[in-house]
Amino acid sequence: MKKLLYLLTIVTAFNGCKVNGTWKDENIDARTRNEIRKLNDQVIEGISENKPEKIYAICADDVLQLFKRSMDELIQNEGSDFTKERYKIKNEFYQVNSVIGGTADVITGMSGEHDFKINYKVITNKTFITVGYFDFERNTNSFICLYGKFKEGWRLYACNIGVLEILHKDAYDWYLISKDYYNKGYIVDASNAMKWAYTCLKPIGDKGAWQYVKEKEILDFSKKLQSEIFQKYSFPMYIDNIETRPSIFTIYPEVFKGERMIPIVQYVSTIPLTDTTKLSIECDKIHSQIGTLYKGLDLNNEVIFYQAFERIPVGQEKLKCYGFSRKTNA
């Protein structure tokens, strides 16, 4: 997947609206659900077929220009990937509000591990929210559309794309995986899993519009974990018992071929990157110690990727490196 584009961020305000009624999923009137689903299909067709005019035709006038600016970029970057065949509906909400101009919430529940609420700006008395997603091999991307009931009928006034799941696991799933690693003392793997949990925590951006009921629990654990990581490990870590004294400066997770999470170990080598034979020998030596250096890394991952650099990259700097993959006994 290429970079994600947030089409129109749902604005969060401080004043709430009085809700007169909320209906969810099958409790929504079938005629209204079908009407909105046809509009959803039209939005997806406009994206996947490179026909943004299909979307503009059902947009509220107030947001039309904003959609025109952002839709061109979405279609150019990712449009052909977002097809109706990949699209599924997760939840639907229909809400009636007596006051326009504030915000309101829709919520799936208050006690479930995966329950969430969405806070949105109320611009019409009747609002319909479709929480859908596109299922890909690596990511499951959320696609949330908001419709308001205007005089001329239902009109699209906000939509948003983000990361809902990685490898079909959402924020809470990755949090549980991280906790399990942590309880076994495998804090590097725990940290890698928590990075995916954090990535999935805000499926429609970082403005607070989407909030999992268990968000505080996840964030509190993340803070605890990061504190222990900083106390236990310092980077760069020099491996003094290897004669070339390589130094590991970061370990992070990646997904390859949509199959599993694989740790990437990046290190600085004093061996020229052109001398691949010596680099490979050095990598073997690092790999033989990796489970001692970082407990569990060789037990929980079938493969570990290594990348040798001449120096540590600064910021977003892209430097040449030489990579190796090594199997473990996991």
Side-chain angles (χ1 to χ4, degrees):
M1 291 296 295
K2 300 177 183 177
K3 68 175 183 176
L4 297 177
L5 173 69
Y6 296 108
L7 297 183
L8 188 60
T9 303
I10 303 171
V11 179
T12 303
F14 294 103
N15 54 318
C17 289
K18 183 178 180 181
V19 177
N20 291 352
T22 302
W23 294 262
K24 177 176 172 286
D25 299 334
E26 67 275 0
N27 293 319
I28 302 172
D29 173 69
R31 181 179 299 179
T32 302
R33 290 179 81 189
N34 290 335
E35 187 175 355
I36 296 296
R37 288 187 177 189
K38 289 180 181 178
L39 297 179
N40 271 329
D41 287 344
Q42 189 168 331
V43 173
I44 296 167
E45 287 173 2
I47 295 173
S48 63
E49 298 173 4
N50 193 13
K51 294 180 179 179
E53 62 274 8
K54 287 189 173 185
I55 303 170
Y56 304 153
I58 60 172
C59 283
D61 292 338
D62 291 345
V63 300
L64 183 56
Q65 293 306 315
L66 184 57
F67 268 82
K68 285 184 176 179
R69 290 196 299 271
S70 58
M71 196 60 62
D72 289 343
E73 185 176 350
L74 174 67
I75 291 173
Q76 180 179 354
N77 288 339
E78 304 184 69
S80 60
D81 294 330
F82 290 90
T83 63
K84 285 196 294 184
E85 289 73 24
R86 292 186 184 273
Y87 178 75
K88 297 179 182 178
I89 293 175
K90 182 177 178 66
N91 293 112
E92 295 169 306
F93 303 92
Y94 172 55
Q95 193 167 77
V96 178
N97 298 281
S98 60
V99 179
I100 297 173
T103 65
D105 294 328
V106 291
I107 190 165
T108 58
M110 290 299 295
S111 58
E113 294 177 343
H114 305 274
D115 279 333
F116 62 90
K117 69 177 180 179
I118 293 177
N119 178 267
Y120 70 96
K121 186 175 181 180
V122 179
I123 66 170
T124 58
N125 291 118
K126 296 179 180 180
T127 305
F128 197 106
I129 300 175
T130 301
V131 181
Y133 60 91
F134 293 94
D135 195 9
F136 296 96
E137 189 177 33
R138 180 189 189 275
N139 287 354
T140 301
N141 294 107
S142 60
F143 189 66
I144 289 84
C145 292
L146 280 77
Y147 299 88
K149 190 66 175 287
F150 295 83
K151 290 181 179 180
E152 60 271 27
W154 289 105
R155 288 292 182 268
L156 178 70
Y157 75 89
C159 63
N160 199 286
I161 296 172
V163 180
L164 179 66
E165 298 174 343
I166 297 175
L167 296 179
H168 300 101
K169 297 177 179 65
D170 68 9
Y172 195 81
D173 293 323
W174 284 111
Y175 159 64
L176 291 181
I177 293 171
S178 180
K179 277 187 67 177
D180 182 60
Y181 282 142
Y182 175 84
N183 290 335
K184 294 174 180 175
Y186 307 144
I187 64 174
V188 173
D189 283 309
S191 177
N192 283 344
M194 183 50 62
K195 288 176 183 177
W196 291 143
Y198 199 81
T199 300
C200 299
L201 195 58
K202 297 292 184 182
I204 51 178
D206 59 358
K207 301 295 184 180
W210 177 304
Q211 185 175 16
Y212 282 103
V213 171
K214 300 290 186 178
E215 179 179 298
K216 185 178 184 303
E217 180 181 332
I218 295 172
L219 291 177
D220 286 347
F221 176 75
S222 178
K223 291 177 182 177
K224 174 184 176 182
L225 176 60
Q226 291 309 306
S227 176
E228 293 195 22
I229 283 281
F230 292 138
Q231 290 176 20
K232 187 173 180 63
Y233 300 110
S234 60
F235 292 96
M237 176 181 283
Y238 289 88
I239 309 177
D240 293 323
N241 60 359
I242 297 178
E243 58 274 16
T244 52
R245 204 167 177 257
S247 57
I248 296 172
F249 62 87
T250 191
I251 302 174
Y252 69 94
E254 189 52 89
V255 175
F256 287 87
K257 298 181 180 179
E259 296 174 356
R260 59 189 181 274
M261 181 174 71
I262 296 177
I264 311 294
V265 178
Q266 294 185 328
Y267 62 97
V268 172
S269 176
T270 57
I271 299 172
L273 297 185
T274 54
D275 194 340
T276 57
T277 300
K278 288 184 178 180
L279 281 175
S280 181
I281 294 171
E282 180 185 58
C283 182
D284 287 338
K285 294 178 180 180
I286 297 173
H287 184 61
S288 69
Q289 300 185 43
I290 201 69
T292 303
L293 295 170
Y294 306 103
K295 182 181 178 181
L297 208 63
D298 59 334
L299 301 177
N300 303 314
N301 305 281
E302 295 179 6
V303 176
I304 299 175
F305 284 2
Y306 296 88
Q307 293 178 338
F309 289 77
E310 292 179 330
R311 62 177 175 83
I312 299 176
V314 178
Q316 300 299 317
E317 182 183 20
K318 294 184 178 180
L319 297 179
K320 290 183 179 180
C321 65
Y322 199 88
F324 303 91
S325 64
R326 293 291 186 265
K327 293 184 178 180
T328 70
N329 295 320

